[in-house]
mmCIF file of all heavy atoms in Angstrom:
data_model
loop_
_atom_site.group_PDB
_atom_site.id
_atom_site.type_symbol
_atom_site.label_atom_id
_atom_site.label_comp_id
_atom_site.label_asym_id
_atom_site.label_seq_id
_atom_site.Cartn_x
_atom_site.Cartn_y
_atom_site.Cartn_z
ATOM 1 N N ARG V 274 0.191 12.980 58.672
ATOM 2 C CA ARG V 274 1.088 14.143 58.696
ATOM 3 C C ARG V 274 0.293 15.432 58.913
ATOM 4 O O ARG V 274 0.753 16.346 59.594
ATOM 5 C CB ARG V 274 1.877 14.223 57.394
ATOM 6 C CG ARG V 274 2.986 13.182 57.355
ATOM 7 C CD ARG V 274 3.818 13.307 56.115
ATOM 8 N NE ARG V 274 4.512 14.598 56.047
ATOM 9 C CZ ARG V 274 5.116 15.033 54.948
ATOM 10 N NH1 ARG V 274 5.113 14.307 53.869
ATOM 11 N NH2 ARG V 274 5.726 16.199 54.949
ATOM 12 N N ILE V 275 -0.897 15.465 58.320
ATOM 13 C CA ILE V 275 -1.734 16.675 58.494
ATOM 14 C C ILE V 275 -2.157 16.798 59.966
ATOM 15 O O ILE V 275 -2.097 17.876 60.554
ATOM 16 C CB ILE V 275 -2.957 16.624 57.552
ATOM 17 C CG1 ILE V 275 -2.496 16.916 56.121
ATOM 18 C CG2 ILE V 275 -4.028 17.627 57.974
ATOM 19 C CD1 ILE V 275 -3.527 16.673 55.056
ATOM 20 N N ALA V 278 0.862 17.896 61.932
ATOM 21 C CA ALA V 278 1.184 19.302 61.675
ATOM 22 C C ALA V 278 0.154 20.226 62.310
ATOM 23 O O ALA V 278 0.500 21.302 62.832
ATOM 24 C CB ALA V 278 1.251 19.549 60.179
ATOM 25 N N GLU V 281 0.999 20.402 65.985
ATOM 26 C CA GLU V 281 2.196 21.218 66.182
ATOM 27 C C GLU V 281 1.867 22.700 65.981
ATOM 28 O O GLU V 281 2.381 23.567 66.694
ATOM 29 C CB GLU V 281 3.285 20.807 65.186
ATOM 30 C CG GLU V 281 3.950 19.494 65.547
ATOM 31 C CD GLU V 281 4.857 18.987 64.442
ATOM 32 O OE1 GLU V 281 5.556 19.807 63.820
ATOM 33 O OE2 GLU V 281 4.835 17.775 64.196
ATOM 34 N N SER V 423 4.775 30.035 61.030
ATOM 35 C CA SER V 423 4.580 30.343 59.616
ATOM 36 C C SER V 423 4.998 29.162 58.743
ATOM 37 O O SER V 423 4.294 28.768 57.814
ATOM 38 C CB SER V 423 5.400 31.597 59.307
ATOM 39 O OG SER V 423 5.538 31.734 57.955
ATOM 40 N N THR V 424 6.149 28.540 59.070
ATOM 41 C CA THR V 424 6.611 27.368 58.323
ATOM 42 C C THR V 424 5.608 26.232 58.451
ATOM 43 O O THR V 424 5.258 25.547 57.481
ATOM 44 C CB THR V 424 7.991 26.907 58.874
ATOM 45 O OG1 THR V 424 8.833 28.031 58.888
ATOM 46 C CG2 THR V 424 8.582 25.809 58.039
ATOM 47 N N LYS V 425 5.130 26.049 59.684
ATOM 48 C CA LYS V 425 4.188 24.937 59.937
ATOM 49 C C LYS V 425 2.890 25.155 59.155
ATOM 50 O O LYS V 425 2.345 24.213 58.580
ATOM 51 C CB LYS V 425 3.920 24.864 61.444
ATOM 52 C CG LYS V 425 3.262 23.599 61.929
ATOM 53 C CD LYS V 425 3.955 22.333 61.532
ATOM 54 C CE LYS V 425 5.317 22.119 62.131
ATOM 55 N NZ LYS V 425 5.970 20.911 61.629
ATOM 56 N N LEU V 426 2.445 26.409 59.115
ATOM 57 C CA LEU V 426 1.207 26.706 58.385
ATOM 58 C C LEU V 426 1.385 26.428 56.894
ATOM 59 O O LEU V 426 0.492 25.874 56.241
ATOM 60 C CB LEU V 426 0.797 28.176 58.593
ATOM 61 C CG LEU V 426 0.100 28.463 59.915
ATOM 62 C CD1 LEU V 426 -0.012 29.974 60.137
ATOM 63 C CD2 LEU V 426 -1.309 27.840 59.941
ATOM 64 N N ALA V 427 2.554 26.823 56.366
ATOM 65 C CA ALA V 427 2.822 26.581 54.953
ATOM 66 C C ALA V 427 2.853 25.083 54.666
ATOM 67 O O ALA V 427 2.306 24.597 53.674
ATOM 68 C CB ALA V 427 4.143 27.216 54.558
ATOM 69 N N GLU V 428 3.513 24.351 55.584
ATOM 70 C CA GLU V 428 3.614 22.887 55.413
ATOM 71 C C GLU V 428 2.213 22.273 55.419
ATOM 72 O O GLU V 428 1.875 21.416 54.604
ATOM 73 C CB GLU V 428 4.467 22.315 56.553
ATOM 74 C CG GLU V 428 4.732 20.846 56.441
ATOM 75 C CD GLU V 428 5.322 20.244 57.717
ATOM 76 O OE1 GLU V 428 5.966 21.015 58.499
ATOM 77 O OE2 GLU V 428 5.145 19.070 57.940
ATOM 78 N N LEU V 429 1.414 22.755 56.345
ATOM 79 C CA LEU V 429 0.053 22.225 56.490
ATOM 80 C C LEU V 429 -0.774 22.497 55.220
ATOM 81 O O LEU V 429 -1.482 21.618 54.722
ATOM 82 C CB LEU V 429 -0.601 22.907 57.697
ATOM 83 C CG LEU V 429 -1.889 22.306 58.214
ATOM 84 C CD1 LEU V 429 -1.706 20.841 58.584
ATOM 85 C CD2 LEU V 429 -2.358 23.072 59.453
ATOM 86 N N GLU V 430 -0.611 23.702 54.713
ATOM 87 C CA GLU V 430 -1.352 24.069 53.514
ATOM 88 C C GLU V 430 -0.949 23.175 52.346
ATOM 89 O O GLU V 430 -1.784 22.675 51.592
ATOM 90 C CB GLU V 430 -1.049 25.527 53.178
ATOM 91 C CG GLU V 430 -1.959 26.054 52.121
ATOM 92 C CD GLU V 430 -2.252 27.545 52.336
ATOM 93 O OE1 GLU V 430 -2.250 28.000 53.512
ATOM 94 O OE2 GLU V 430 -2.442 28.209 51.362
ATOM 95 N N GLN V 431 0.379 22.957 52.244
ATOM 96 C CA GLN V 431 0.905 22.126 51.173
ATOM 97 C C GLN V 431 0.370 20.691 51.291
ATOM 98 O O GLN V 431 -0.052 20.079 50.300
ATOM 99 C CB GLN V 431 2.417 22.110 51.279
ATOM 100 C CG GLN V 431 3.105 21.831 49.974
ATOM 101 C CD GLN V 431 4.617 21.908 50.156
ATOM 102 O OE1 GLN V 431 5.150 21.633 51.239
ATOM 103 N NE2 GLN V 431 5.306 22.254 49.107
ATOM 104 N N LEU V 432 0.387 20.191 52.526
ATOM 105 C CA LEU V 432 -0.117 18.831 52.751
ATOM 106 C C LEU V 432 -1.584 18.750 52.383
ATOM 107 O O LEU V 432 -2.030 17.775 51.752
ATOM 108 C CB LEU V 432 0.077 18.442 54.215
ATOM 109 C CG LEU V 432 1.518 18.137 54.647
ATOM 110 C CD1 LEU V 432 1.605 18.039 56.155
ATOM 111 C CD2 LEU V 432 2.008 16.846 54.017
ATOM 112 N N LYS V 433 -2.324 19.785 52.745
ATOM 113 C CA LYS V 433 -3.757 19.771 52.441
ATOM 114 C C LYS V 433 -3.996 19.843 50.933
ATOM 115 O O LYS V 433 -4.901 19.212 50.411
ATOM 116 C CB LYS V 433 -4.460 20.925 53.156
ATOM 117 C CG LYS V 433 -4.695 20.651 54.641
ATOM 118 C CD LYS V 433 -5.378 21.792 55.304
ATOM 119 C CE LYS V 433 -5.649 21.474 56.792
ATOM 120 N NZ LYS V 433 -6.080 22.641 57.538
#
Side-chain angles (χ1 to χ4, degrees):
Chain V
R274 285 184 63 192
I275 286 170
E281 285 171 40
S423 165
T424 308
K425 195 54 66 184
L426 280 169
E428 185 192 335
L429 193 57
E430 191 147 330
Q431 205 177 29
L432 287 169
K433 282 180 178 169

